[in-house]
Amino acid sequence: MSIESDLREAVCRTGASLFNRGLTHGSTGNISVSLPDGGWLMTPTGSSLGTLDPARISKLDGSGRHVDGDAPTKESFLHTTMYAERPAAGAVVHLHSTYSVAVSCIDGIDEHNCLPPITAYYAMRIGQLPLVPYYPPGDKALAEAVGSLAGRHHAVLLANHGPVVAASTLSAATDAVEELEETARLFLLLEGRSLRILTDTQVADLQKKFKAP
Ligand SMILES: [Zn+2]
């Protein structure tokens, strides 16, 4: 149980950190982590990431069935779809973070890669970021659209909604989604300027050194 207890605490600590820094608001955003037995812990439906209770975190078995704690987020399928396509992933974080959502609303954005490689850390932690077409929250078509990309991409941006990022650990997923949010912010700050982005060779070199699960 100690691994599970530690993970419950880590989910709550991470949620509070993200919420307190304004990276998601109200009861938006959700976090999940893989359990050693094949199931998952997930933040509950309607919960604020700022006030999570370790004892009430939702627990799902390996088939995605709710087995303990409060009912899981209505967006649980975003997480289970990511894990289905990326079995090595240890955590998934989904936020409604302001600058990433802003980028997801830009008409005509490159749907194959929403943000250019402005910095080395963005290239390492996110790399390519495809846009998932808009579907209403909870629509199963959204899960299918995420599933069609998740095998090739550990990070996707839901149109008019926000990012979903998988990584080997919760801290790596959090670092990556924060890097995405800061890059979205830089991208918008630099709007109208001529950008000197990293070259394909520079990006490929970085990605060789850091491979997402
Ligand atoms: Zn959402």
Side-chain angles (χ1 to χ4, degrees):
M1 280 302 285
S2 73
I3 292 175
E4 181 175 330
S5 303
D6 289 350
L7 286 170
R8 285 174 181 273
E9 295 288 345
V11 167
C12 295
R13 204 166 50 242
T14 300
S17 170
L18 292 168
F19 184 88
N20 291 337
R21 289 178 294 136
L23 287 158
T24 206
H25 59 276
S27 57
T28 67
N30 28 76
I31 299 170
S32 66
V33 290
S34 305
L35 290 168
D37 68 1
W40 297 282
L41 296 176
M42 209 171 279
T43 49
T45 182
S47 61
S48 163
L49 293 192
T51 54
L52 295 168
D53 177 351
R56 293 177 61 179
I57 296 285
S58 312
K59 185 174 178 179
L60 280 63
D61 67 13
S63 63
R65 195 168 56 96
H66 177 220
V67 292
D68 190 31
D70 290 354
T73 167
K74 291 188 195 69
E75 297 184 309
S76 62
F77 62 88
L78 292 177
H79 298 252
T80 51
T81 301
M82 267 287 183
Y83 291 115
E85 298 297 324
R86 309 188 72 82
V92 174
V93 178
H94 164 56
L95 300 176
H96 295 186
S97 43
T98 306
Y99 293 95
S100 303
V101 177
V103 167
S104 85
C105 300
I106 296 174
D107 193 22
I109 197 123
D110 180 358
E111 65 185 29
H112 301 293
N113 193 14
C114 300
L115 287 169
I118 300 173
T119 67
Y121 278 92
Y122 179 78
M124 286 190 286
R125 289 182 168 145
I126 298 293
Q128 193 179 347
L129 180 71
L131 185 73
V132 178
Y134 173 80
Y135 294 99
D139 192 322
K140 288 290 180 277
L142 182 55
E144 286 167 23
V146 171
S148 71
L149 292 165
R152 285 166 292 135
H153 302 282
H154 71 288
V156 299
L157 185 61
L158 312 182
N160 304 77
H161 186 162
V164 184
V165 178
S168 55
T169 64
L170 180 54
S171 63
T174 308
D175 281 352
V177 79
E178 290 191 30
E179 196 65 40
L180 196 168
E181 174 66 359
E182 288 306 312
T183 302
R185 188 176 173 200
L186 286 170
F187 179 68
L188 295 170
L189 272 173
L190 290 164
E191 193 183 9
R193 301 289 192 106
S194 173
L195 291 187
R196 188 186 58 250
I197 60 174
L198 302 193
T199 65
D200 290 348
T201 306
Q202 287 169 331
V203 170
D205 184 46
L206 288 164
Q207 288 177 343
K208 245 186 287 173
K209 293 173 185 161
F210 181 88
K211 196 165 177 348

